[in-house]
Amino acid sequence: MSTQDIVQKLWNLCNVLRDDGITYHQYVTELTYILFLKMAKETGAETEIPEEYRWDSLSNKSGLELKKHYYTLLTKLGEESVGRVAQIYANASSSIEEPKNLEKIIKEIDRLDWYEAKEEGLGDLYEGLLEKNASEKKSGAGQYFTPRVLIDVMTKLIAPQLGEKCFDPACGTFGFMIAANAFVNKNVDFYTLTDRQADFQRNKAFNGVELVHETHRLALMNAYLHNVNANIVLGDSLSQSAKGLNGFDVILTNPPFGTKKGGERATRDDISFQTSNKQLNFLQVIYRSLKADGKARCAVVLPDNVLFAGGDGVSVRRELMNFCNLHTILRLPTGIFYAQGVKTNVLFFTRGVSEKGNTKEVAFYDMRTNMDSFGKTRTLRFDDFDEFVKGYNDKSKRTGERWSSFTREQIETEYNDSLDLGLIRDESVKDYEDLANPVESGEEVVANLEEAIDLIKSVIKELKALENK
């Protein structure tokens, strides 16, 4: 049984819990509690778990006895364990009310072919569940999940190296750092490392911050199953308490979309422009968190509004281009995120040694206009990025119409520091010259509205006349 088959079987078990009114996101959290115990047993890693709360203590019970034991287990593992176990079960509680539903899930999980799952990687299995959850619109989890292919492309181009400190300030389920770890592992022979190097890679290389408690729990589980002993903080990167998180060599991230709740501003005093636009705040935190050595680099997913927002948006873009060499912007296609209709981009930049004049020219690649319609039926593939990746790595291969570039001087003088550039002509519009004059169109709309108002007035007048008779 392949990992994909197991993921589907586990996902189908969600139907068992519908009578308990459990949401998809609650189901993944519930599965995390149960799967952690099962996977610890399968991998021989139960030593951190008290014997009375290990997998066998669940699989040997049924009915009300099972439910009561499960509830106790969640509390005890959160309060009396240490290390990663304590973090995963911190403040854990169950949404399962019906004992027979809990029993069925445990029995079904026990029956699965775990040998093949271990061969393919338990981390891949868990990420498959996270992706399933993100793809379900009802779960609302899409905002925490970046498509795997985009993560892999960004990671490949940023190319984290052995000994570099990596960070994701809005880490979601920790996908970027998992990919960064895999990239380093693929290119390094760990048997040749010194004890100090090996310790750094295992315990200090990969870091993240996640604001949402339940998502933080999923991130911890994801890191654990990928053998990454990461530093994943439960907190807010935009708050004062996160100021100490800096000096990073690599940042890979996809900050949440939208404005801060209630329109409040970031509380950090180490950013220049405190706005209610979360993305602008995150962008400032990101480039200020990079090591100012001329090598520290970032790839960040940001919505279109960051490229053209006025006021503080202009100031943030100017500071970004002063502090960093903003060398490439990828205009992403729509439909690749589970939040439908969101227009996004990837900004690639390197932090300079100084804080002035680091950007000389910005290259743009339009992967949005005249592209396939992406979604569930046409998913994003790695080869969709082929032309972009070739041109990113070799300027001489930027020959297609989708590539364009603008000097820093052009961006400032001709576009007032807007970065909403680089989109090619849309073939769905036959000829721009044939489009109606916007002034004439507006006047026509006004005329039609005035005619409609006059008609309504005449009807009202007639009705009043009838009432008076």
Side-chain angles (χ1 to χ4, degrees):
M1 184 182 291
S2 69
T3 294
Q4 194 172 356
D5 293 332
I6 293 177
V7 167
Q8 191 57 54
K9 277 184 172 291
L10 288 173
W11 193 250
N12 289 343
L13 285 174
C14 186
N15 297 327
V16 173
L17 301 179
R18 282 185 178 170
D19 291 340
D20 274 334
I22 289 179
T23 66
Y24 288 110
H25 200 56
Q26 286 173 319
Y27 174 58
V28 172
T29 300
E30 205 82 52
L31 265 186
T32 299
Y33 301 148
I34 299 170
L35 283 175
F36 182 87
L37 298 175
K38 178 60 175 173
M39 291 174 174
K41 176 180 171 66
E42 293 295 328
T43 56
E46 289 186 299
T47 52
E48 294 181 19
I49 304 169
E51 190 170 351
E52 63 268 32
Y53 301 123
R54 293 176 185 175
W55 175 256
D56 288 343
S57 74
L58 286 176
S59 60
N60 293 333
K61 292 179 176 59
S62 61
L64 284 171
E65 182 190 12
L66 171 63
K67 179 184 172 182
K68 185 178 178 181
H69 177 70
Y70 178 60
Y71 277 37
T72 303
L73 174 153
L74 294 181
T75 302
K76 294 292 185 182
L77 290 181
E79 293 177 353
E80 299 178 9
S81 298
V82 295
R84 189 52 49 95
V85 177
Q87 288 180 310
I88 288 175
Y89 289 94
N91 301 312
S93 62
S94 177
S95 303
I96 301 176
E97 294 292 337
E98 181 55 57
K100 68 181 181 189
N101 289 342
L102 176 62
E103 188 175 340
K104 182 167 185 180
I105 287 172
I106 290 169
K107 284 183 176 177
E108 288 295 330
I109 287 174
D110 215 19
R111 275 200 285 262
L112 293 172
D113 181 1
W114 290 98
Y115 176 79
E116 189 158 348
K118 284 188 288 184
E119 290 295 302
E120 293 192 31
L122 294 175
D124 290 345
L125 186 156
Y126 191 68
E127 280 207 290
L129 278 173
L130 296 177
E131 187 164 13
K132 276 277 188 188
N133 188 36
S135 67
E136 288 290 345
K137 290 181 182 177
K138 293 177 184 176
S139 79
Q143 61 183 309
Y144 309 120
F145 197 91
T146 307
R148 166 55 53 190
V149 63
L150 180 58
I151 288 176
D152 288 343
V153 168
M154 290 167 63
T155 304
K156 178 182 177 182
L157 296 179
I158 289 296
Q161 301 297 306
L162 178 71
E164 290 190 321
K165 198 173 177 184
C166 304
F167 181 50
D168 184 345
C171 70
T173 53
F174 215 55
F176 277 109
M177 294 298 98
I178 299 293
N181 176 62
F183 185 90
V184 174
N185 289 350
K186 189 177 178 181
N187 295 286
V188 169
D189 181 359
F190 270 77
Y191 292 106
T192 64
L193 302 187
T194 65
D195 289 345
R196 187 174 179 178
Q197 286 176 318
D199 177 69
F200 177 86
Q201 287 307 123
R202 274 196 302 267
N203 302 311
K204 299 171 186 173
F206 304 104
N207 307 270
V209 176
E210 174 50 43
L211 176 64
V212 181
H213 197 158
E214 290 308 316
T215 309
H216 176 254
R217 197 191 309 278
L218 303 185
L220 290 168
M221 179 71 163
N222 203 14
Y224 170 79
L225 293 176
H226 284 90
N227 296 314
V228 181
N229 190 23
N231 174 35
I232 308 174
V233 177
L234 175 62
D236 184 357
S237 289
L238 301 181
S239 69
Q240 194 73 355
S241 61
K243 274 179 65 175
L245 295 168
N246 53 36
F248 294 102
D249 301 289
V250 168
I251 294 179
L252 290 158
T253 188
N254 175 13
F257 304 141
T259 57
K260 280 187 74 69
K261 191 180 271 188
E264 74 266 27
R265 294 165 184 263
T267 58
R268 285 182 63 150
D269 61 11
D270 60 338
I271 61 176
S272 304
F273 312 99
Q274 296 183 358
T275 81
S276 59
N277 183 316
K278 276 198 296 191
Q279 290 79 37
L280 290 175
N281 291 330
F282 266 111
L283 182 54
Q284 293 177 82
V285 166
I286 288 164
Y287 59 70
R288 286 179 174 275
S289 299
L290 288 169
K291 196 183 291 181
D293 63 355
K295 295 183 292 184
R297 57 212 179 275
C298 170
V300 53
V301 179
L302 292 168
D304 275 14
N305 74 72
V306 171
L307 304 185
F308 60 71
D312 285 336
V314 177
S315 302
V316 171
R317 290 192 296 274
R318 284 174 182 160
E319 187 172 81
L320 167 65
M321 289 186 279
N322 270 325
F323 279 41
C324 305
N325 174 19
L326 173 64
H327 53 82
T328 311
I329 295 179
L330 170 62
R331 310 299 302 260
L332 288 170
T334 57
I336 63 170
F337 288 97
Y338 298 111
Q340 288 296 321
V342 177
K343 293 181 178 179
T344 54
N345 314 270
V346 182
L347 276 62
F348 296 86
F349 51 86
T350 303
R351 178 71 192 261
V353 176
S354 68
E355 295 183 356
K356 196 152 185 74
N358 279 292
T359 298
K360 307 299 182 188
E361 183 178 70
V362 184
F364 292 80
Y365 185 82
D366 181 6
M367 198 175 162
R368 181 183 305 170
T369 315
N370 306 326
M371 290 292 288
D372 288 345
S373 180
F374 292 98
K376 279 194 173 183
T377 54
R378 169 62 169 95
T379 56
L380 200 61
R381 300 188 301 262
F382 204 90
D383 59 15
D384 289 318
F385 292 88
D386 281 352
E387 186 177 278
F388 170 68
V389 171
K390 288 174 185 174
Y392 182 96
N393 291 320
D394 184 350
K395 287 185 178 182
S396 68
K397 293 181 179 175
R398 297 178 184 177
T399 54
E401 67 165 349
R402 295 187 178 278
W403 279 106
S404 58
S405 63
F406 299 83
T407 65
R408 178 69 188 91
E409 186 180 359
Q410 275 182 293
I411 292 168
E412 181 181 12
T413 59
E414 296 179 29
Y415 301 101
N416 193 29
D417 285 321
S418 169
L419 292 170
D420 191 18
L421 307 169
L423 294 174
I424 61 176
R425 177 171 173 158
D426 189 342
E427 291 174 359
S428 65
V429 179
K430 291 183 179 177
D431 195 334
Y432 289 117
E433 293 177 4
D434 290 341
L435 291 174
N437 183 301
V439 175
E440 292 176 359
S441 297
E443 289 174 344
E444 185 180 347
V445 169
V446 170
N448 288 336
L449 286 172
E450 287 175 345
E451 186 179 342
I453 290 168
D454 287 342
L455 182 61
I456 292 168
K457 283 180 178 178
S458 66
V459 171
I460 292 171
K461 189 175 180 181
E462 287 181 19
L463 289 172
K464 284 182 176 179
L466 288 171
E467 283 180 353
N468 294 330
K469 283 184 179 179

